Amino acid sequence: MRAAVVTFPGSNCDRDLRVAMERVFARPVASLWHAETELPPLDLIGIPGGFSYGDYLRCGAIAARSPIMAEIARLARRGVAVLGICNGFQILTEAGLLPGALVRNLRLSFVCRPVRVTVVTASSPFTNAYRPGRELLLPVAHHDGNYVLEAEELARLEEEDRIAFRYLDNPNGSTADIAGVLGPGRNVLGMMPHPERACDPLHGGEDGIALFRSLLATLT
Amino acid sequence: MAIAEITPELVAEHGLTAEEYARIREILGRPPTLVELGIFSVMWSEHCSYKSSRLHLRKFPTEAPWVVCGPGENAGVVDIGDGRVAVFKMESHNHPSFIEPYQGAATGVGGILRDVFTMGARPVAVLDALRFGAPEHPRTRHLVAGVVAGIGGYGNCVGVPTVGGETGFHRAYDGNILVNAMCVGIAEKDRVFYARAAGVGNPVVYVGARTGRDGIHGATMASAEFSEDAEAKRPTVQVGDPFMEKLLIEACLELMAGDCIVAIQDMGAAGLTSSSFEMAARGGTGIELDLDAVPLREANMSAYEIMLSESQERMLMVIARGREEEARAVFEKWELDFAIVGRVTDTGRMVVRHRGEVVAEVPVAPVSGGSPVLDRPYRLPDPPVPFISDDQTVHLSPREVLLRLLSCPDLCSKRWIWEQYDHSVMADTVAGPGGDAAVIRVHGTDKGLALTIDCTPRYCRADPRTGGRQAVAEAYRNLVAVGARPLAITDCLNFGNPERPEIMGQLVGCIEGMAEACRALDFPVVSGNVSLYNETDARAILPTPEVGGLGLIADLAKRTDLAFDADGLLLVLIGEVTGWLGQSVFQREILGREEGAPPPVDLVLEKRHADFVTAQIAAGRVRACHDLSDGGLAVAMAEMCLASGRGGRLSVPAEAPSLFGWLYGEDQARYLLAVAPEHLRALLEEATAAGVIAREVGVTGGCALIIDGQPPISLEELRRCHEGWLPAWMDG
Amino acid sequence: MKARVAIRFRTGVLDPEARAIEKALANLGFTGVRGVSRTRIIELELEASDRDAAEAEVRRMSETLLANPVIETYSVTIAER
Amino acid sequence: MKARVAIRFRTGVLDPEARAIEKALANLGFTGVRGVSRTRIIELELEASDRDAAEAEVRRMSETLLANPVIETYSVTIAER
Ligand SMILES: Nc1ncnc2c1ncn2[C@@H]1O[C@H](COP(=O)(O)OP(=O)(O)O)[C@@H](O)[C@H]1O
Ligand SMILES: [Mg+2]
């Protein structure tokens, strides 16, 4: 397993994601600075939460157009797994690697709380250690997590079994309670809840561990 | 040097008295230039010079074997073992938040973060203490919404969890809300940075955001009483950029890993002026500043404006000569402005040049440390008489009273607020908002820091000395209740106009009470802030000395919280019960009165009970623990039930002084513990041996809270009352 | 009646977002872009007897809610229809 | 040359902020306000040989960065000066 986590100016969950991955993978995880354009050989790239470029203009918009994202898009097309969490999810939609867009929460305010989500599909490198239908408790912490997409796109996601997670208590107004989606090749996952904040009994519980275990089992 | 005409009006506009102006002329040996007048005005403002409080702040104990650095630097530093230190401080942003709640609160968080990372510490937690006016006041809702969004907007973006705080409402804050923010950071003990300019010839470097016309005269504004024309002062609000702050944190910490920084200081209130003067004063050096090199946001800024601007997210550093490029590279990597704006001299003078002219030349020491220390007259209020209540006058049942109290603005759940704060970023939040103290893991270890903010302003008003003691004692208890060893406090002293003897009396009384408690509890003050003139049209706020406590949990496996994890645990009340209702929430909310003496604070008992609870936690006998404060025993019990999702039964002993006093009295030095039945005997025996009053008062279990002799209150009903008020009111 | 409120920052107020946009455009190769500024437009329909009444009403809305007078200025246009 | 890009949500994309403004106005007693919608305006100066070149350039900026075509539409105006 060769994994790395990208740091954009304004990323603030990069360390958390790396710590969680290292704990489950039991090996070092590299840091990628956003200005790098030549990436080492990798099996997994994590795009962390935070406020890349202050989330100015639109969340994730500026980061999505940075040079490293072109490289990540190329690797994603070649099958490298890409995991975008929170701001990472926003960046992946802005970069066109995932459908839809994330807009302001329905109630307009930032929301930080543990939410209940269900695993919709276990057929992905991110979720295959979960039983479909399993209920998880994962923290969310975002201002713009309201996932919008057009009806045809939604139908396609459903038909292709690309909805990874759904909220049981939708905290942000997302269409069809979607909390996480897979890209067409199933190797890109974007999700608003933070699995990296749920890998530790002292902090946020342990329901996120199986996501990293799935990756470890699939990618090595 | 251009000599502007300095008229008495101009001097008064700068908030300087005639005596102060005479002193300035004496120091300079000539009339000041306009820039110099501005410099003296901000440096000698109450905000920067602490002229009304300095004399009394000396009464605080500030030392202990674990204190690495007490008051005087940007933040206090205490040893937490393993070669690490905790760095922490609290500060007010009251006036700006009243004028522009979002930006005022946001930049308050930005400022306190800078005080902490300036010292080489990575910020790991923010807490906020908020005091708003009466919920009925037409502006309150707007202020709550703006302040909460502002604190969240800044802290969330920077990626530091906001893990706790306090929120209160009282009409005394209608025209002057309080927004106090506390930040805690962690550093390596041998890599703490100080703000002492040294090394003649070393460059003085400016980094971060460009200078605009933000908040010019903010420091004097924060020291002047409000009046109805506050609106006219609007252009002085600063706007924050948390993204820039995040970059500054990362860049500064990256540079601090090396050794090219000699001194570093954030530009807070009074911006470039106070940062340069303070660095020079602490180092006993001089500085030459070249304002033409300062990165500006707007063209044509005058020297006066550049020196007094309060633009946010800026830092001033002294770099070792020859290491400039190394430093520049780090800041350029983070896309931050970097400019050499001066150099350190040995003249003890500040020389400021702009467009080829010397616009200010003043000796550093008399400006920085030479402001007048005032011994303002003060009058302590007469000691209040104890309030005697009579149960017969209460027409509500104890059950109805409990539901009322749980849903009153002061005691209701503040979830609506803290869910807007990212309290779990950094993945080390072991206990976020909602408990007695927040607990943050020291990254990569099994240790934790326990953090709390406390103050009971109504006690302080009734009896400042007791109120001061109580604020410290409550912070201490909140730390003990989670299994921590209390180490030290920071404070933020919010008061009205010190020129009025009764207000000055509140300040002095509270300080003396706090100092007594700090001494008795071995809980020194390591940093703090004073905010005076919190009054509008001569109506002052309640005296509000907020206390921010920090404690250490040596082993997180041994921490406690307020949730009982099983049915059938026995509830044990530690402490004496007199049924004290004077100045209680019960008295205010149910009897509609705010009178009498507050509960006395016996510091010997505080210490004894805390030591006892600590020993019981260490012995593994405590399954849940909560300190008793506002609302007394029944409210504490209800909070424990809600936190655990389990019910329980609370007995009312025959010897209870009065039913309502037993349930809702606010006697101090008390804790409620949940203990497994097999441990009860040992605990009670040790209590007797230690001279601690401990008695069994109930049992956990079921899905309702039952007060002896009363119909049960289901957890759903409790929750509805506790959680309902704030969101419903905000939806208003 | 249709109304339109244009809200912008007062001169001198920091607008980090505008700066970020300028920088991002430069990084994407759009060189020579300067002076980026932002305006928020809020359009709405209201009932009013005439243009003047409508304008007065929308000004009140702007002052109490739509604009933040501490850091923003606004202008109102009424488009009859 | 000065250009102005107006960006708004596509019809069909719910704008929670516009809904909130409508509700808040009603709560403040401004009854009868309907159809609140928001537009973000970005103004900038650029160097360009003529209006058409400028317009083409600003369109490219909008497509690559300023607007998100999944949820937004934009229009460009060039104001010579
Ligand atoms: N403004 C706030 N920000 C964050 N947390 C808050 C705020 N106000 C209250 N809280 C949290 O709500 C809980 C209850 O507060 P409080 O009643 O003041 O506690 P205590 O009486 O134990 O000091 C605490 O955990 C506190 O941290
Ligand atoms: Mg408490």
Side-chain angles (χ1 to χ4, degrees):
Chain A
M1 164 69 85
R2 296 160 300 178
V5 172
V6 185
T7 300
F8 292 99
S11 296
N12 63 29
C13 301
D14 43 342
R15 185 193 76 179
D16 309 358
L17 182 54
R18 219 167 37 238
V19 167
M21 285 182 175
E22 286 178 347
R23 176 187 291 239
V24 179
F25 301 163
R27 67 187 50 142
V29 169
S31 300
L32 296 177
W33 180 238
H34 74 107
E36 290 171 35
T37 45
E38 269 174 43
L39 306 188
L42 290 169
D43 305 307
L44 170 67
I45 300 172
I47 307 182
F51 288 72
S52 56
Y53 296 94
D55 272 354
Y56 294 133
L57 188 62
R58 294 180 308 278
C59 298
I62 298 178
R65 284 142 187 96
S66 66
I68 199 173
M69 280 309 296
E71 191 59 20
I72 289 172
R74 201 176 60 78
L75 293 175
R77 278 192 295 275
R78 296 218 320 241
V80 172
V82 178
L83 168 62
I85 299 166
C86 199
N87 193 229
F89 185 14
Q90 295 161 342
I91 293 170
L92 291 174
T93 59
E94 280 282 344
L97 289 171
L98 291 173
L102 290 144
V103 301
R104 183 80 2 145
N105 295 346
L106 201 57
R107 274 186 231 108
L108 299 183
S109 39
F110 190 97
V111 57
C112 177
R113 70 161 84 111
V115 295
R116 294 182 306 134
V117 303
T118 51
V119 179
V120 180
T121 180
S123 81
S124 83
F126 307 93
T127 53
N128 57 30
Y130 291 108
R131 182 171 42 75
R134 172 156 166 213
E135 193 180 314
L136 314 174
L137 195 64
L138 298 175
V140 295
H142 58 248
H143 211 156
D144 298 77
N146 180 354
Y147 188 56
V148 296
L149 85 174
E150 287 182 9
E152 307 91 83
E153 278 287 359
L154 176 59
R156 179 171 326 140
L157 286 183
E158 277 171 343
E159 195 186 300
E160 296 176 2
D161 189 30
R162 283 164 51 198
I163 298 172
F165 302 102
R166 277 191 214 267
Y167 300 111
L168 283 169
D169 35 15
N170 189 338
N172 51 37
S174 288
T175 307
D177 298 325
I178 293 173
V181 292
L182 294 162
R186 311 191 83 75
N187 62 322
V188 177
L189 170 68
M191 63 191 296
M192 286 316 291
H194 287 271
E196 83 283 14
R197 297 189 195 179
C199 291
D200 181 346
L202 275 182
H203 169 85
E206 298 184 295
D207 284 358
I209 292 180
L211 187 142
F212 298 102
R213 287 219 180 105
S214 302
L215 287 164
L216 183 65
T218 316
L219 303 178
T220 38
Chain B
M1 219 179 296
I3 307 286
E5 222 219 307
I6 307 292
T7 60
E9 293 74 45
L10 198 56
V11 171
E13 258 173 52
H14 279 77
L16 292 161
T17 63
E19 300 85 75
E20 284 168 339
Y21 184 66
R23 181 98 169 261
I24 292 170
R25 290 198 52 148
E26 195 184 305
I27 289 169
L28 295 175
R30 58 174 164 79
T33 65
L34 185 59
V35 177
E36 287 165 344
L37 188 70
I39 288 172
F40 277 99
S41 132
V42 292
M43 292 302 294
W44 286 7
S45 69
E46 191 63 59
H47 188 80
C48 290
S49 76
Y50 292 87
K51 58 189 164 193
S52 302
S53 56
R54 198 148 18 124
L55 193 63
H56 302 286
L57 293 176
R58 291 183 192 142
K59 296 170 185 166
F60 283 142
T62 60
E63 284 171 6
W66 52 89
V67 173
V68 175
C69 174
E73 275 286 345
N74 282 300
V77 183
V78 296
D79 199 324
I80 55 169
D82 303 334
R84 291 200 185 84
V85 290
V87 176
F88 68 113
K89 174 155 196 278
M90 177 155 44
E91 204 158 75
S92 66
H93 230 211
N94 304 337
H95 295 272
S97 302
F98 184 73
I99 294 172
E100 171 27 44
Y102 185 97
Q103 293 296 342
T107 53
V109 173
I112 196 65
L113 285 164
R114 284 193 295 283
D115 275 331
V116 165
F117 73 77
T118 288
M119 300 202 67
R122 177 169 288 280
V124 296
V126 168
L127 293 90
D128 60 327
L130 311 177
R131 303 279 168 186
F132 297 104
E136 306 75 55
H137 190 275
R139 253 175 89 79
T140 304
R141 197 180 278 122
H142 161 78
L143 290 167
V144 173
V147 164
V148 170
I151 290 171
Y154 209 99
N156 299 345
C157 179
V158 166
V160 177
T162 300
V163 296
E166 275 208 303
T167 311
F169 297 85
H170 193 280
R171 62 182 183 284
Y173 305 98
D174 281 351
N176 288 82
I177 62 170
L178 301 185
V179 175
N180 294 177
M182 165 171 161
C183 177
V184 184
I186 294 177
E188 302 292 316
K189 188 175 179 185
D190 56 3
R191 300 213 60 82
V192 174
F193 286 78
Y194 298 100
R196 294 183 195 133
V200 173
N202 277 338
V204 175
V205 165
Y206 171 118
V207 295
R210 292 165 175 242
T211 297
R213 291 191 172 92
D214 310 73
I216 292 176
H217 264 189
T220 32
M221 171 173 102
S223 309
E225 203 178 310
F226 261 7
S227 65
E228 285 299 333
D229 72 349
E231 310 292 288
K233 292 189 170 133
R234 273 174 167 174
T236 59
V237 300
Q238 312 104 339
V239 173
D241 179 2
F243 171 57
M244 175 78 78
E245 180 106 334
K246 169 71 176 163
L247 302 185
L248 261 183
I249 294 178
E250 298 305 331
C252 288
L253 292 179
E254 189 172 321
L255 190 61
M256 284 163 162
D259 60 356
C260 59
I261 298 179
V262 174
I264 176 162
Q265 165 82 45
D266 65 300
M267 293 192 224
L272 188 53
T273 296
S274 67
S275 55
S276 57
F277 272 92
E278 281 168 23
M279 280 213 297
R282 290 199 189 106
T285 53
I287 286 180
E288 282 182 4
L289 280 180
D290 172 14
L291 299 188
D292 297 305
V294 171
L296 299 180
R297 196 165 82 225
E298 290 182 73
N300 299 323
M301 285 183 63
S302 68
Y304 182 92
E305 289 171 322
I306 297 170
M307 284 304 285
L308 298 193
S309 162
E310 294 197 340
S311 290
Q312 301 290 297
E313 293 94 23
R314 303 178 300 160
M315 310 284 283
L316 202 64
M317 305 184 297
V318 175
I319 298 284
R321 200 160 14 152
R323 311 288 295 278
E324 296 87 341
E325 292 318 306
E326 196 177 314
R328 185 190 299 275
V330 170
F331 285 92
E332 279 176 358
K333 169 185 164 192
W334 291 97
E335 301 181 24
L336 292 164
D337 272 313
F338 177 100
I340 295 172
V341 298
R343 59 187 194 90
V344 177
T345 66
D346 59 2
T347 60
R349 297 176 83 76
M350 183 71 56
V351 181
V352 184
R353 290 195 177 79
H354 188 226
R355 298 188 184 132
E357 250 188 280
V358 172
V359 292
E361 176 164 9
V362 287
V364 171
V367 178
S368 226
S371 71
V373 176
L374 303 176
D375 186 3
R376 294 195 185 276
Y378 63 90
R379 192 168 63 240
L380 290 165
D382 296 333
V385 286
F387 165 82
I388 310 292
S389 85
D390 172 3
D391 281 358
Q392 306 312 314
T393 62
V394 181
H395 301 296
L396 296 171
S397 71
R399 185 183 180 282
E400 289 165 321
V401 168
L402 180 57
L403 293 177
R404 269 263 197 118
L405 293 188
L406 282 178
S407 60
C408 81
D410 275 356
L411 299 193
C412 73
S413 165
K414 303 303 183 301
R415 180 185 302 275
W416 183 91
I417 294 174
W418 48 257
E419 280 195 346
Q420 296 187 52
Y421 302 155
D422 189 341
H423 44 82
S424 59
V425 64
M426 295 185 95
D428 282 315
T429 304
V430 176
D436 281 326
V439 178
I440 294 290
R441 174 172 46 202
V442 178
H443 190 69
T445 73
D446 297 324
K447 291 186 171 183
L449 297 182
L451 310 167
T452 181
I453 299 189
D454 297 282
C455 177
T456 313
R458 59 181 191 279
Y459 295 174
C460 296
R461 179 178 58 183
D463 180 353
R465 184 181 294 267
T466 300
R469 289 170 158 224
Q470 195 275 341
V472 173
E474 187 178 344
Y476 194 85
R477 282 202 299 272
N478 276 320
L479 299 177
V480 166
V482 299
R485 183 166 78 92
L487 292 182
I489 67 166
T490 181
D491 66 71
C492 194
L493 306 177
N494 306 274
F495 290 83
N497 180 350
E499 294 158 35
R500 294 202 282 144
E502 64 275 23
I503 301 289
M504 198 60 206
Q506 294 176 339
L507 177 65
V508 174
C510 284
I511 287 177
E512 290 179 351
M514 289 168 70
E516 287 162 6
C518 289
R519 215 165 258 123
L521 300 171
D522 212 0
F523 197 31
V525 179
V526 296
S527 58
N529 177 247
V530 180
S531 170
L532 301 178
Y533 296 95
N534 290 289
E535 52 182 83
T536 300
D537 300 328
R539 281 191 48 219
I541 59 163
L542 301 185
T544 313
E546 295 284 356
V547 171
L550 177 138
L552 181 66
I553 301 178
D555 177 2
L556 283 170
K558 295 226 174 91
R559 87 209 145 81
T560 40
D561 62 25
L562 49 72
F564 8 95
D565 54 355
D567 289 355
L569 301 177
L570 302 177
L571 294 166
V572 177
L573 176 65
I574 306 298
E576 232 169 327
V577 183
T578 69
W580 197 282
L581 287 172
Q583 297 296 342
S584 65
V585 178
F586 172 88
Q587 186 199 41
R588 187 183 69 203
E589 297 293 322
I590 306 300
L591 306 179
R593 299 156 75 165
E594 297 177 52
E595 61 193 58
V601 179
D602 181 332
L603 296 167
V604 173
L605 281 190
E606 285 287 357
K607 183 81 171 88
R608 187 186 299 159
H609 295 180
D611 288 347
F612 176 75
V613 169
T614 301
Q616 295 305 314
I617 291 173
R621 293 202 187 104
V622 179
R623 298 279 285 271
C625 180
H626 192 16
D627 91 297
L628 267 56
S629 54
D630 285 353
L633 177 62
V635 166
M637 171 74 176
E639 288 169 348
M640 293 178 89
C641 289
L642 287 169
S644 41
R646 280 172 210 276
R649 177 181 286 274
L650 194 59
S651 52
V652 181
E655 75 275 15
S658 84
L659 176 61
F660 291 109
W662 169 260
L663 292 171
Y664 305 109
E666 296 183 4
D667 290 292
Q668 298 294 299
R670 294 190 300 162
Y671 300 81
L672 187 57
L673 312 182
V675 184
E678 64 269 26
H679 288 140
L680 183 70
R681 252 196 57 201
L683 184 141
L684 293 179
E685 278 169 17
E686 286 180 25
T688 310
V692 169
I693 298 176
R695 67 180 121 196
E696 195 189 330
V697 295
V699 59
T700 71
C703 48
L705 191 168
I706 305 170
I707 298 171
D708 258 1
Q710 298 289 315
I713 311 174
S714 71
L715 286 180
E716 294 93 279
E717 190 170 6
L718 272 186
R719 182 156 286 126
R720 195 157 10 90
C721 284
H722 191 50
E723 297 288 349
W725 183 81
L726 188 51
W729 175 68
M730 286 306 301
D731 257 0
Chain C
M1 223 159 301
K2 284 199 174 181
R4 178 189 165 97
V5 186
I7 303 154
R8 40 188 310 145
F9 282 119
R10 287 178 185 280
T11 35
V13 172
L14 173 73
D15 182 2
E17 181 156 352
R19 248 209 356 246
I21 294 170
E22 203 164 302
K23 231 180 191 170
L25 285 171
N27 286 344
L28 287 169
F30 296 103
T31 50
V33 173
R34 284 170 304 125
V36 171
S37 72
R38 300 181 309 129
T39 307
R40 295 185 294 126
I41 305 280
I42 297 172
E43 285 167 302
L44 50 84
E45 286 168 54
L46 76 168
E47 276 146 43
S49 45
D50 58 37
R51 289 180 70 103
D52 288 354
E55 183 168 335
E57 180 88 344
V58 177
R59 288 198 166 277
R60 285 204 302 121
M61 291 178 200
S62 304
E63 252 140 64
T64 44
L65 179 76
L66 304 179
N68 179 351
V70 183
I71 49 177
E72 294 173 326
T73 59
Y74 68 90
S75 64
V76 172
T77 348
I78 305 292
E80 225 146 346
R81 235 189 297 175
Chain D
M1 221 159 304
K2 285 199 173 180
R4 177 188 166 95
V5 186
I7 302 157
R8 42 190 306 150
F9 276 127
R10 284 179 184 283
T11 38
V13 178
L14 182 75
D15 179 359
E17 287 176 77
R19 295 292 76 73
I21 292 171
E22 209 164 296
K23 194 175 143 212
L25 285 172
N27 284 347
L28 288 168
F30 296 103
T31 49
V33 174
R34 283 169 305 124
V36 172
S37 72
R38 298 183 313 131
T39 305
R40 292 183 299 121
I41 306 280
I42 297 174
E43 283 168 303
L44 49 85
E45 285 168 54
L46 76 168
E47 275 147 42
S49 46
D50 58 37
R51 289 181 70 102
D52 289 354
E55 181 167 336
E57 180 88 344
V58 178
R59 287 195 166 279
R60 283 205 303 120
M61 292 178 201
S62 305
E63 250 140 64
T64 41
L65 177 72
L66 303 180
N68 178 351
V70 176
I71 45 172
E72 295 169 328
T73 60
Y74 70 90
S75 63
V76 172
T77 348
I78 305 292
E80 225 147 345
R81 236 190 299 173

